[in-house]
C-alpha cells in the first residue's frame, strides 16, 4: 500500500469504530499548504452529517482513538473538522532507507492481464501526426503496467484491409516496377488516388480487385502483402526512432480477423440481437439516438454482405476477452471515435463477447492543433508526415544545444540533439491532459524552463554531475537521515512516487506522472539551494547524497516509464 492508502485505511477504520458503521471514507488528500500538514482527511464532516452530530466534536473523538504509530509526528483538528496529518521525519528516513534502489517500487501483488490497443495506424498511407498522440501516450501506459508486473499484451490493430487496398493493388498492377515506387508511400497513395478519381475504368477495376482480394485471389493477395510489408517496415522504423516499444510481434491487424467475422454475425443472430434496417444487419442498443432523436443502430454488415470497422472490433473484443483472457482492454484512440467504441462495447456486453469480468476502456485523446487553433497541418494545408516532424524536432534541438553548450564535441551535440528533440515532442504531448485538444508549439516544448523535456533532462543530468564533479559513486549505499524542512519536503515527494504510479495504472493519465516528476525536480532544486551537499558537514553529507541519488533514480525511472531517454550529461 502507498502512504495515502495506508492513511486512508487507518483513518477510515477509526471512523468506522466510532460510528459503528463499516463503510466510512477517510477521504485523504494531499494538504494544500504546509501549515495544514502533509495530508488532510476530509471524511469527518460527511460522517457527522450522516450521524447528525457536530463535526468538531466527532473529530475530537476520532483523534482520541486514531493511532498512526510512527507515521505521524502530529495530528491536528482544523477548521470545521479537517484532520491534518504531519508525517514524521523518522518515518520518512526509515521508509526511504528501506527502499529497494534497483526498482524503487515492488511489483504488484495482484497481477492482471492487460491488453492495450494503441498506435494502430492505417497502412494505406504513410504514418502521419494523427497517430502520434495515441502512439506516445499508449506506449507510456503500456510501459507502466509492464514495469509494475502486470501481464501486458500490446495489440497494434493496423488498418490493413478495406476498399483502399483495391485501389492500391490496381495501381501496382499498372506499374512496371512498383517496388521502387513504394519507397514513398505518401506519393504512391496520392498518385493511385488520382488515377482512381480521374479514370472510371481504373475505378471499376479497383472495385473488382477489392472483391477478388476479399475472396482470396492469390495475385491480389500477393500484391497486397507486398504493399503491407513495405508499410509495416516504415512504421517499425518510426517506432524505433521514437523509442516506442511496439514490435512486429505485437501486430494483430484488422485482416487477422477476416475469417472470424462471419461467426460474429452468426453469434449475434443466435442471440436474437440482429435487426435488419434498409438491408443492413444492425444491433439497436438502448439510449443511442441520432440528432433527430431516432434510434441509432450499430451496423455490423452492409446489404451487399460487406463487414465494417465495427464488425472487426467485435471480433477483436471477443478474441481479447475470451482467448487472451484480458482483465482490462484499453483502447488508446482518438476521441472522435468515442461513439464507435460506446456502440461496440455495448454490443460486446449484450452478446457476451466481453464477460462481466472484462473491463473495456476507451482512453481517448484530443486532436493535435497548430498554433493557429486549427488541426495541425503543413503550411500548404496537407497532413504532416511523422518522419518530417521528427526530423524538424531534432534539427531545432540541435540549434538549442549549439546555443547552450557550444563547447560539446560535434558527435555529442548530435546525440544530445536527437534525444532532446524526440523527448521534447513526446513529453509535450504526455504532459498535457490527454482528453483535451493540444497545441503543438516548438518553442514551448524546447524551452528549458517549465514542465518540458529539456528542463527534466537537465534536472537529471545536473544531479548526476554532482556525483561526477566530486568523483563520488552514484551507485553507493547512502544512509538517509531527514531533518531540514527542504529535506522533508523532498523525502515526502520521493515517497509519493508510489501513489502516482498506482493512480496512473488506475486512470491512465500520464500527465499526472509528468506533473509529479516536474514537482519532484522543483523540490530537489529548493533542497539543493537550501542545503549544501558536497560542502555539508560530515554528519549531513551522506544523507544529502542519498537524497540526490534517490531523486536521480526516481526521475530516471519515471522518465523511462514515459518512454523518455535520459542523458548522463547535457
Ligand atoms: N486504424 C484506426 C484509425 O486509424 C484506429 C484503430 C484503433 N483500434 C481499434 N481497435 N479500432 O483510425
Amino acid at each position: 500500500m502507498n502512504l495515502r492508502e495506508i492513511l486512508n485505511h487507518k483513518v477510515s477504520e477509526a471512523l468506522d469504530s466510532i460510528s459503528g458503521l463499516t463503510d466510512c471514507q477517510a477521504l485523504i488528500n494531499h494538504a494544500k499548504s504546509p501549515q495544514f500538514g502533509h495530508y488532510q482527511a476530509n471524511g469527518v464532516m460527511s460522517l457527522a452529517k450522516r450521524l447528525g452530530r457536530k463535526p468538531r466534536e466527532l473529530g475530537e473523538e476520532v483523534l482520541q482513538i486514531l493511532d498512526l504509530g510512527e507515521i505521524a509526528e502530529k495530528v491536528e483538528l482544523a477548521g470545521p473538522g479537517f484532520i491534518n496529518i504531519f508525517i514524521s521525519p523518522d518515518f520518512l528516513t526509515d521508509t526511504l532507507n528501506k527502499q529497494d534502489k534497483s526498482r524503487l517500487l515492488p511489483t504488484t501483488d495482484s497481477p492482471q492481464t492487460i491488453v492495450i490497443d494503441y498506435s494502430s495506424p492505417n497502412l494505406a498511407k504513410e504514418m502521419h501526426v494523427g497517430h502520434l498522440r495515441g502512439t506516445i501516450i499508449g506506449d507510456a501506459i503500456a510501459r507502466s503496467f509492464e514495469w509494475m508486473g502486470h501481464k501486458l499484451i500490446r495489440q497494434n490493430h493496423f488498418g490493413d484491409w478495406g476498399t483502399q487496398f483495391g485501389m492500391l493493388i490496381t495501381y501496382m498492377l499498372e506499374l512496371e516496377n512498383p517496388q521502387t515506387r513504394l519507397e514513398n508511400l505518401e506519393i504512391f497513395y496520392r498518385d493511385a488516388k488520382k488515377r482512381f478519381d480521374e479514370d472510371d475504368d481504373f475505378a471499376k477495376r479497383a472495385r473488382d480487385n477489392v472483391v477478388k482480394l476479399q475472396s482470396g485471389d492469390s495475385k491480389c493477395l500477393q500484391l497486397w502483402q507486398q504493399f503491407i510489408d513495405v508499410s509495416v517496415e516504415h512504421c517499425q522504423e518510426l517506432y524505433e526512432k521514437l523509442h516506442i516499444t511496439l514490435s512486429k510481434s505485437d501486430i494483430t491487424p484488422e485482416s487477422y480477423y477476416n475469417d472470424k467475422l462471419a461467426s460474429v454475425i452468426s453469434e449475434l443472430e443466435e442471440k436474437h440481437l440482429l435487426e435488419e434496417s434498409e438491408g443492413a444487419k444492425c444491433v439497436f442498443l438502448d439510449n443511442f439516438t441520432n440528432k433527430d432523436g431516432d434510434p441509432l443502430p450499430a451496423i455490423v454488415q452492409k446489404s451487399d454482405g460487406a463487414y465494417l470497422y465495427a464488425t472487426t472490433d467485435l471480433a477483436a473484443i471477443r478474441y481479447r476477452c475470451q482467448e487472451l483472457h484480458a482483465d482490462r482492454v484499453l483502447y488508446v484512440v482518438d476521441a472522435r471515435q468515442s461513439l464507435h467504441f460506446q456502440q461496440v462495447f455495448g454490443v460486446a456486453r449484450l452478446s457476451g463477447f466481453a464477460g462481466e469480468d472484462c473491463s473495456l476502456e476507451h482512453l481517448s485523446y484530443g486532436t493535435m492543433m497548430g498554433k493557429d487553433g486549427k488541426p495541425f497541418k503543413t503550411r500548404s494545408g496537407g497532413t504532416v508526415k511523422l518522419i518530417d516532424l521528427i526530423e524538424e524536432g531534432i534539427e531545432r534541438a540541435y540549434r538549442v544545444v549549439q546555443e547552450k553548450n557550444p563547447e560539446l564535441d560535434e558527435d555529442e551535440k548530435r546525440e544530445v540533439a536527437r534525444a532532446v528533440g524526440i523527448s521534447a515532442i513526446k513529453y509535450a504531448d504526455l504532459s498535457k491532459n490527454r482528453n483535451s485538444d493540444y497545441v503543438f508549439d516548438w518553442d514551448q516544448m524546447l524551452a528549458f524552463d517549465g514542465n518540458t523535456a529539456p528542463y527534466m533532462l537537465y534536472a537529471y543530468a545536473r544531479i548526476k554531475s554532482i556525483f561526477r564533479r566530486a568523483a563520488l559513486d552514484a551507485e553507493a549505499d547512502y544512509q538517509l537521515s531527514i531533518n531540514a524542512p527542504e529535506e522533508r519536503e523532498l523525502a515526502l515527494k520521493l515517497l509519493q512516487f508510489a501513489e502516482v504510479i498506482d493512480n496512473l495504472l488506475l486512470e491512465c493519465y500520464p500527465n499526472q506522472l509528468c506533473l509529479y516528476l516536474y514537482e519532484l525536480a522543483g523540490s530537489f532544486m529548493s533542497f539543493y539551494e537550501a542545503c549544501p551537499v558536497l560542502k555539508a558537514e560530515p554528519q549531513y553529507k551522506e544523507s544529502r547524497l542519498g537524497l540526490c541519488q534517490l531523486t536521480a533514480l526516481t526521475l530516471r525511472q519515471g522518465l523511462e516509464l514515459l518512454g523518455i531517454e535520459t542523458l548522463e550529461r547535457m
Side-chain angles (χ1 to χ4, degrees):
M1 267 200 271
N2 62 51
L3 181 53
R4 184 169 169 168
E5 285 170 340
I6 295 173
L7 294 172
N8 242 321
H9 182 72
K10 295 206 182 250
V11 177
S12 300
E13 253 180 9
L15 296 177
D16 277 349
S17 99
I18 286 203
S19 62
L21 299 166
T22 52
D23 59 348
C24 294
Q25 301 276 338
L27 307 176
I28 302 277
N29 279 313
H30 292 170
K32 300 237 157 35
S33 102
Q35 81 210 66
F36 303 131
H38 302 110
Y39 288 87
Q40 192 167 61
N42 297 338
V44 171
M45 276 91 75
S46 46
L47 179 61
K49 206 164 174 194
R50 244 170 112 183
L51 300 176
R53 295 193 47 189
K54 293 206 182 85
R56 283 211 59 115
E57 227 178 71
L58 186 67
E60 293 295 350
E61 282 175 41
V62 175
L63 288 199
Q64 290 297 320
I65 65 157
L66 179 64
D67 180 13
L68 295 179
E70 52 142 7
I71 299 177
E73 80 178 332
K74 190 166 74 172
V75 183
E76 276 176 2
L77 198 62
F82 300 112
I83 298 177
N84 293 342
I85 301 168
F86 296 76
I87 303 299
S88 100
D90 289 345
F91 173 77
L92 295 172
T93 300
D94 288 348
T95 318
L96 290 179
N97 275 332
K98 279 191 231 127
Q99 203 173 23
D100 171 3
K101 302 244 169 61
S102 67
R103 252 204 73 87
L104 298 173
L105 304 181
T107 53
T108 174
D109 45 22
S110 44
Q112 290 191 314
T113 300
I114 312 288
V115 170
I116 179 167
D117 177 331
Y118 71 103
S119 192
S120 306
N122 295 328
L123 293 185
K125 292 185 193 182
E126 198 160 318
M127 219 167 142
H128 58 88
V129 298
H131 291 104
L132 183 64
R133 297 201 76 189
T135 303
I136 293 173
I137 294 170
D139 205 51
I141 296 170
R143 285 167 182 266
S144 305
F145 276 100
E146 203 158 46
W147 184 63
M148 285 305 284
H150 293 280
K151 178 173 176 196
L152 185 95
I153 305 174
R154 293 173 176 78
Q155 295 280 284
N156 200 343
H157 190 86
F158 276 140
D160 68 341
W161 202 250
T163 49
Q164 286 167 323
F165 291 94
M167 174 184 93
L168 294 166
I169 293 172
T170 309
Y171 190 52
M172 285 171 87
L173 279 165
E174 276 189 352
L175 298 173
E176 244 168 60
N177 202 344
Q179 191 68 29
T180 54
R181 296 286 309 282
L182 287 177
E183 267 155 35
N184 192 327
L185 290 174
E186 205 54 33
I187 294 180
F188 191 91
Y189 182 91
R190 203 189 57 205
D191 293 348
K193 180 86 170 55
K194 192 154 180 264
R195 292 282 294 123
F196 184 89
D197 289 340
E198 288 173 357
D199 182 342
D200 289 344
D201 188 52
F202 180 99
K204 185 183 170 315
R205 273 182 284 136
R207 279 190 285 271
D208 290 346
N209 280 330
V210 177
V211 178
K212 278 167 89 179
L213 178 67
Q214 290 180 338
S215 55
D217 176 87
S218 66
K219 177 72 188 158
C220 285
L221 272 175
Q222 183 224 322
L223 289 170
W224 169 78
Q225 191 65 55
Q226 191 183 344
F227 184 91
I228 294 298
D229 289 347
V230 175
S231 196
V232 166
E233 220 43 69
H234 156 78
C235 289
Q236 286 304 136
E237 245 171 68
L238 282 171
Y239 293 150
E240 220 155 280
K241 277 213 164 71
L242 281 170
H243 202 51
I244 296 293
T245 55
L246 284 166
S247 70
K248 283 193 183 162
S249 60
D250 302 318
I251 302 172
T252 318
E254 288 185 4
S255 64
Y256 173 80
Y257 300 99
N258 284 349
D259 60 4
K260 302 169 176 64
L261 300 177
S263 74
V264 166
I265 305 298
S266 61
E267 265 197 62
L268 293 173
E269 193 101 67
E270 273 161 36
K271 297 192 168 123
H272 307 292
L273 294 171
L274 287 188
E275 279 176 57
E276 222 155 274
S277 171
E278 292 166 37
K281 296 199 164 120
C282 310
V283 181
F284 283 89
L285 295 162
D286 295 341
N287 305 325
F288 283 89
T289 48
N290 64 19
K291 45 183 180 322
D292 301 326
D294 298 327
L296 184 69
I299 307 174
V300 290
Q301 191 171 22
K302 291 204 269 189
S303 56
D304 63 1
Y307 301 112
L308 294 99
Y309 183 51
T311 327
T312 309
D313 258 324
L314 286 169
I317 290 187
R318 188 174 60 180
Y319 169 70
R320 292 165 184 184
C321 293
Q322 299 180 5
E323 288 180 53
L324 299 179
H325 304 290
D327 295 302
R328 291 173 76 181
V329 189
L330 311 176
Y331 292 83
V332 187
V333 185
D334 194 311
R336 285 170 287 199
Q337 296 193 28
S338 68
L339 176 62
H340 164 77
F341 283 110
Q342 284 169 29
Q343 291 188 311
V344 165
F345 292 172
V347 177
R349 289 271 177 240
L350 265 187
S351 60
F353 290 160
E356 283 310 319
D357 49 357
C358 177
S359 154
L360 304 171
E361 301 165 47
H362 177 202
L363 309 178
S364 68
Y365 56 85
T367 307
M368 193 160 135
M369 311 294 255
K371 267 169 127 174
D372 56 2
K374 301 202 190 98
F376 193 73
K377 291 267 156 69
T378 58
R379 236 167 254 147
S380 53
T383 47
V384 178
K385 283 166 54 174
L386 211 41
I387 188 69
D388 296 341
L389 189 83
I390 293 172
E391 272 157 18
E392 181 167 355
I394 296 174
E395 206 39 53
R396 282 175 183 261
Y398 181 82
R399 272 178 262 152
V400 174
V401 175
Q402 175 76 16
E403 185 194 303
K404 295 252 170 199
N405 212 345
E407 66 280 4
L408 278 185
D409 69 53
E410 185 59 23
D411 283 351
E412 197 163 1
K413 256 186 237 165
R414 289 274 160 211
E415 178 52 21
V416 171
R418 186 195 59 77
V420 171
I422 303 273
S423 303
I425 295 174
K426 292 178 80 173
Y427 193 89
D429 198 337
L430 290 163
S431 59
K432 313 284 182 320
N433 183 317
R434 60 175 166 76
N435 285 333
S436 337
D437 290 344
Y438 126 81
V439 178
F440 191 90
D441 178 349
W442 287 117
D443 296 329
Q444 188 271 330
M445 69 179 76
L446 283 163
F448 269 76
D449 49 353
N451 189 5
T452 65
Y455 174 81
M456 296 308 305
L457 295 180
Y458 180 69
Y460 174 77
R462 183 164 164 204
I463 302 175
K464 292 314 287 270
S465 79
I466 297 171
F467 290 89
R468 236 186 352 259
R469 274 201 327 258
L472 283 164
D473 183 1
E475 250 58 26
D477 203 12
Y478 297 104
Q479 285 299 306
L480 302 184
S481 160
I482 306 299
N483 300 295
E486 293 82 4
E487 293 177 336
R488 280 200 202 194
E489 164 77 14
L490 176 60
L492 182 66
K493 257 276 136 23
L494 286 166
L495 212 67
Q496 288 170 340
F497 186 48
E499 294 175 19
V500 175
I501 298 300
D502 286 346
N503 230 13
L504 176 59
L505 300 200
L506 212 60
E507 300 177 342
C508 304
Y509 284 94
N511 63 308
Q512 294 176 346
L513 176 56
C514 294
L515 181 62
Y516 165 79
L517 295 173
Y518 177 58
E519 287 175 357
L520 174 63
S523 300
F524 179 82
M525 297 303 177
S526 316
F527 151 79
Y528 196 62
E529 266 162 41
C531 308
V533 176
L534 295 176
K535 293 202 178 87
E537 297 176 29
Q539 72 265 38
Y540 298 131
K541 184 169 168 181
E542 175 172 352
S543 171
R544 290 182 184 168
L545 281 169
L547 280 171
C548 294
Q549 177 188 48
L550 272 182
T551 306
L553 287 173
T554 307
L555 286 177
R556 190 177 64 195
Q557 185 58 54
L559 290 170
E560 191 179 315
L561 294 181
L562 294 168
I564 304 284
E565 291 172 87
T566 43
L567 295 162
E568 294 301 301
R569 61 175 93 218
M570 260 171 97

